[in-house]
Amino acid sequence: MSAKIFSLCNQKGGVGKTTSTINIATLLANAGCRTLVVDMDSQANSTSGLGQEKPSIEFTAYQLFVENFDPAPLIRKTEIENLDLIPSNYELAGAELELVNRERREFVLMAHLEALREKYECILIDCPPSLGLITINCLVSSDYIIVPLQCEYYALEGLGQLLNTYELVRTHLKPALEIGGVLLTMADLRTNLTQQVIDEVRKFFGAKVFKVIVPRSVKLSEAPSFGKPAVLYDSANRGSKAYIEIAKEFQARFEIRPSQKNTPAPAQPAAENEAAKLGDNLPEEVRS
């Protein structure tokens, strides 16, 4: 089964886009799904958040756009089983200028990612906080757009611009692109304004909104400084617990399943293991 590709996209920065990307990816990988994170933000927060040292990385997503690299050599293993990364660094900020005069400039990334579909069950793209050519490439490459949305009034103001870009991409470049879901983040559930934003978003998007809301959490903010997703840094905090439930809904909603070879064999009960060992020591005539 080939991978489904998702762009986590919002032109507003600081909405939990990277946090959502790396935590959902980690949980999918832990469930046995071969998962790839593609860091398309020149700030490279997904790269560092997955424990990769940015100064030591020679080849990044920049090479996909500017030097037309084959993506395979760019993929780095993370410390998390089943989770790979195409990293980013500051160079990616210049890629947009390089693309301006390129033929079929909106389809550069898609050509590279299509070649990786058979290798993974899920590919998550962490988009930059803008609606420029890099983001357009991410959307054209994707099957679904996931919108992380901070539970604040100003987040709603920018939503119209994002939806307009989405419709333009669907009309002119990728008719099959769907809004896969809206992820409500950074919620302070003690305030009336937060509840009003939640109500407005649910009224507009209906079932597209993920059921679980990500609360504000100090641990979610701390985790990147340790080079770990929050669900590994502190799985018991309320932010991590929210992402654990969101990942389950994500898997169910998009029918993302581990391939047969990635599904661990069920462990034998201890009593059976001991019996097997004992049986190995018995004379052949007794065992038969």
Side-chain angles (χ1 to χ4, degrees):
M1 190 171 79
S2 64
K4 293 182 172 80
I5 303 179
F6 303 83
S7 276
L8 281 86
C9 182
N10 193 325
Q11 81 275 17
K12 189 177 184 300
V15 298
K17 179 173 52 65
T18 297
T19 299
S20 298
T21 301
I22 63 174
N23 282 287
I24 292 171
T26 297
L27 291 161
L28 291 175
N30 282 347
C33 301
R34 297 168 302 171
T35 305
L36 174 69
V37 169
V38 184
D39 192 349
M40 281 293 154
D41 187 347
S42 61
Q43 296 173 86
N45 291 332
S46 278
T47 299
S48 57
L50 289 172
Q52 303 292 311
E53 295 291 333
K54 287 182 276 189
S56 68
I57 299 172
E58 184 178 1
F59 300 119
T60 69
Y62 175 81
Q63 271 72 35
L64 292 177
F65 289 104
V66 178
E67 298 177 33
N68 207 31
F69 257 45
D70 174 68
L74 306 181
I75 295 171
R76 297 171 71 95
K77 295 284 182 189
T78 70
E79 292 181 1
I80 301 157
E81 190 175 359
N82 295 320
L83 181 56
D84 293 346
L85 169 73
I86 292 181
S88 175
N89 64 15
Y90 68 91
E91 287 183 320
L92 192 59
E96 203 138 310
L97 291 174
E98 304 271 0
L99 283 171
V100 169
N101 296 317
R102 187 94 168 258
E103 192 175 336
R104 289 179 57 82
R105 59 191 182 180
E106 299 90 354
F107 297 90
V108 175
L109 181 62
M110 184 177 80
H112 292 302
L113 293 190
E114 284 298 318
L116 298 176
R117 275 195 193 263
E118 299 307 317
K119 191 175 178 183
Y120 297 97
E121 273 83 57
C122 184
I123 298 174
L124 297 173
I125 306 173
D126 185 10
C127 298
S130 70
L131 294 176
L133 265 177
I134 297 292
T135 298
I136 298 298
N137 264 268
C138 295
L139 296 181
V140 171
S141 303
S142 300
D143 304 306
Y144 301 95
I145 176 174
I146 304 293
V147 183
L149 192 66
Q150 192 175 358
C151 293
E152 292 185 359
Y153 175 75
Y154 287 121
L156 290 178
E157 282 196 327
L159 190 56
Q161 190 182 359
L162 175 60
L163 292 176
N164 185 53
T165 300
Y166 161 73
E167 288 297 342
L168 287 171
V169 170
R170 265 183 31 114
T171 303
H172 300 289
L173 300 168
K174 182 70 177 283
L177 180 65
E178 295 182 38
I179 294 178
V182 177
L183 189 55
L184 292 166
T185 65
M186 298 183 178
D188 184 351
L189 298 169
R190 299 168 299 178
T191 68
N192 289 333
L193 177 60
T194 293
Q195 194 56 55
Q196 287 171 12
V197 170
I198 292 168
D199 292 344
E200 285 293 316
V201 173
R202 285 196 162 141
K203 187 162 73 173
F204 186 81
F205 287 102
K208 295 282 187 188
V209 183
F210 282 87
K211 292 172 186 172
V212 177
I213 298 167
V214 182
R216 285 195 176 277
S217 165
V218 173
K219 296 294 185 182
L220 289 180
S221 303
E222 279 180 4
S225 64
F226 292 87
K228 289 184 176 182
V231 292
L232 297 183
Y233 172 64
D234 181 358
S235 61
N237 81 85
R238 57 188 189 148
S240 294
K241 286 179 177 177
Y243 277 115
I244 289 167
E245 294 306 312
I246 286 165
K248 290 176 186 174
E249 186 179 350
F250 194 94
Q251 266 195 275
R253 182 181 293 198
F254 301 109
E255 299 181 336
I256 298 171
R257 300 284 179 266
S259 64
Q260 200 65 37
K261 64 182 178 182
N262 281 350
T263 307
Q268 281 188 307
E272 286 182 26
N273 288 335
E274 290 304 315
K277 288 178 189 174
L278 180 62
D280 288 341
N281 295 324
L282 291 174
E284 188 174 347
E285 61 269 28
V286 177
R287 275 188 275 154
S288 58

